[in-house]
Amino acid sequence: MDNEYKNYKADRVLKLLFRALKGESLSVAALADESNVSTRSITRDINDLKAFLADYRDILGNAELKYSASDHCYTLEMDNLFSNKELFAIAKVLIGSRAFSHEELLTIIGKLKTHTSYSDKKRLEQLIAKEMFNYEEVGSDCDSVIDNVLKLSNYIQEQRAITISYYKMNRDRVKHRIVPVSIMFSEYYFYLIAYKCENTLSDTPTYFRIDRICDMTVHREKLELHKNVEFDEGLLRKRSQFMWPGPLRKIRFEFTGPSLQAILDRLPTAKVIDRYDNKYLIEAEVYGNGIKMFLLSQGSWVKVIAPDEFVKEMKDEIEKMQLLY
């Protein structure tokens, strides 16, 4: 009987710890009713748990069961829990991304809420309730963006060649045989960066929106990039801000707008190489033609200086725009 009692008591204490870690409020009276024991037994269990947390304070991130006289409950507080401001910031980023389905977002935020205090959890729910009600996810052609991201991450780690079924912007469905190398997130979408290998292995990266990948077939062979393909994921992230195909090139442009920092933030490779007549001369290395759309969005604040072919592209695009008005 002694061993059975000890095991039963140990189970109760472990359940208390688990429920406290989930962010529950622990009521002595309610727990006594659930376990069909006296309130004195539950109080001893809580005292045992408080002693355990105190003995291992350093390991458990200063965890402590605190009593609230207002609701007569104990809640767990610890350094490793998210603060309300941290969780609110993360939730705001997730909601603003619009990258996940409503169900996926609810699941993610629900799991995050289990790692905060009881009082912070209530406050967080109040802060994001309206935004969750009005949440609009972006359209997707795949069953689950999260599942696609996980699969592709595994293929990247295993260096596997894969064949994807993919919806283009014009809604044509095509197949590509590729070697995936990196996953990035930018402006509502997850992107796969890969090298095509339909005939020969390309030495120029291609960008695929992961939500448009509706099917994947993995191949047995592993394909390594050519020696002349210099792949540095960190550098590629800096150069690939617009997820648009096109060559790598070094551009120069003058900027006269009010916020230089906004330009430098948007182009991680950008640097100011000169300043004159209230103008900044900026140089940046970028992949793809998305940079053209970005610079055009800056209107008369930007004048492209180099290279010559890019200057011509900008002029041609501006002339096409003028013909519309």
Side-chain angles (χ1 to χ4, degrees), residues 26-275:
L26 306 177
S27 164
V28 172
L31 291 169
D33 288 340
E34 285 181 29
S35 302
N36 196 26
V37 296
S38 67
T39 55
R40 185 179 298 176
S41 294
I42 297 299
T43 299
R44 284 197 294 265
D45 291 343
I46 287 178
N47 287 334
D48 289 343
L49 182 53
K50 290 173 72 175
F52 172 80
L53 295 175
D55 289 342
Y56 296 94
R57 179 179 293 275
D58 293 341
I59 297 174
L60 299 175
N62 294 319
E64 183 180 0
L65 276 179
K66 290 194 173 181
Y67 181 73
S68 171
S70 61
D71 57 7
H72 308 290
C73 290
Y74 291 89
T75 56
L76 182 67
E77 293 188 7
M78 56 193 297
D79 293 345
N80 291 341
L81 293 176
F82 286 111
S83 68
N84 194 52
K85 61 183 180 183
E86 291 168 337
L87 266 182
F88 184 59
I90 294 170
K92 278 286 192 178
V93 171
L94 290 172
I95 292 170
S97 75
R98 297 177 56 205
F100 304 103
S101 70
H102 193 272
E103 292 75 18
E104 288 172 335
L105 186 61
L106 281 174
T107 299
I108 293 170
I109 292 180
K111 289 179 178 179
L112 285 171
K113 286 192 294 188
T114 64
H115 297 283
T116 189
S117 66
Y118 178 74
S119 58
D120 280 349
K121 184 186 301 185
K122 279 193 167 183
R123 179 62 178 152
L124 179 68
E125 289 172 349
Q126 294 170 354
L127 288 170
I128 67 173
K130 288 185 179 179
E131 289 195 76
M132 287 302 302
F133 180 77
N134 294 298
Y135 178 73
E136 289 289 339
E137 65 197 68
V138 296
S140 176
D141 294 307
C142 65
D143 294 331
S144 171
V145 173
I146 291 179
D147 287 347
N148 272 7
V149 168
L150 177 61
K151 289 177 183 177
L152 290 166
S153 298
N154 291 334
Y155 299 151
I156 290 170
Q157 187 175 18
E158 296 168 2
Q159 296 181 315
R160 295 289 185 184
I162 62 174
T163 294
I164 60 172
S165 292
Y166 185 75
Y167 281 100
K168 298 168 63 177
M169 283 190 293
N170 63 5
R171 306 308 298 156
D172 287 345
R173 182 168 172 169
V174 297
K175 287 192 173 183
H176 291 292
R177 186 181 173 95
I178 59 174
V179 177
V181 293
S182 183
I183 293 172
M184 295 178 61
F185 182 83
S186 178
E187 295 180 306
Y188 309 126
Y189 306 111
F190 285 95
Y191 289 88
L192 173 68
I193 301 175
Y195 290 86
K196 292 183 180 179
C197 56
E198 284 148 349
N199 294 313
T200 59
L201 188 61
S202 171
D203 57 3
T204 302
T206 303
Y207 306 89
F208 300 96
R209 261 179 48 185
I210 290 179
D211 60 286
R212 289 182 179 166
I213 299 175
C214 52
D215 191 31
M216 289 179 265
T217 302
V218 61
H219 303 290
R220 291 183 179 179
E221 72 272 23
K222 294 184 178 182
L223 290 179
E224 295 185 0
L225 301 179
H226 291 315
K227 291 181 179 179
N228 62 328
V229 176
E230 181 183 353
F231 180 73
D232 181 325
E233 185 171 0
L235 185 57
L236 185 62
R237 285 176 180 273
K238 288 183 178 181
R239 292 170 170 173
S240 304
Q241 290 298 303
F242 304 102
M243 304 299 138
W244 197 263
L248 171 65
R249 52 189 170 189
K250 183 179 290 186
I251 64 170
R252 287 189 177 189
F253 59 93
E254 293 177 344
F255 180 70
T256 57
S259 179
L260 172 66
Q261 190 60 48
I263 299 294
L264 299 179
D265 289 342
R266 194 67 179 88
L267 300 172
T269 62
K271 55 184 179 182
V272 177
I273 58 176
D274 200 358
R275 182 179 181 181

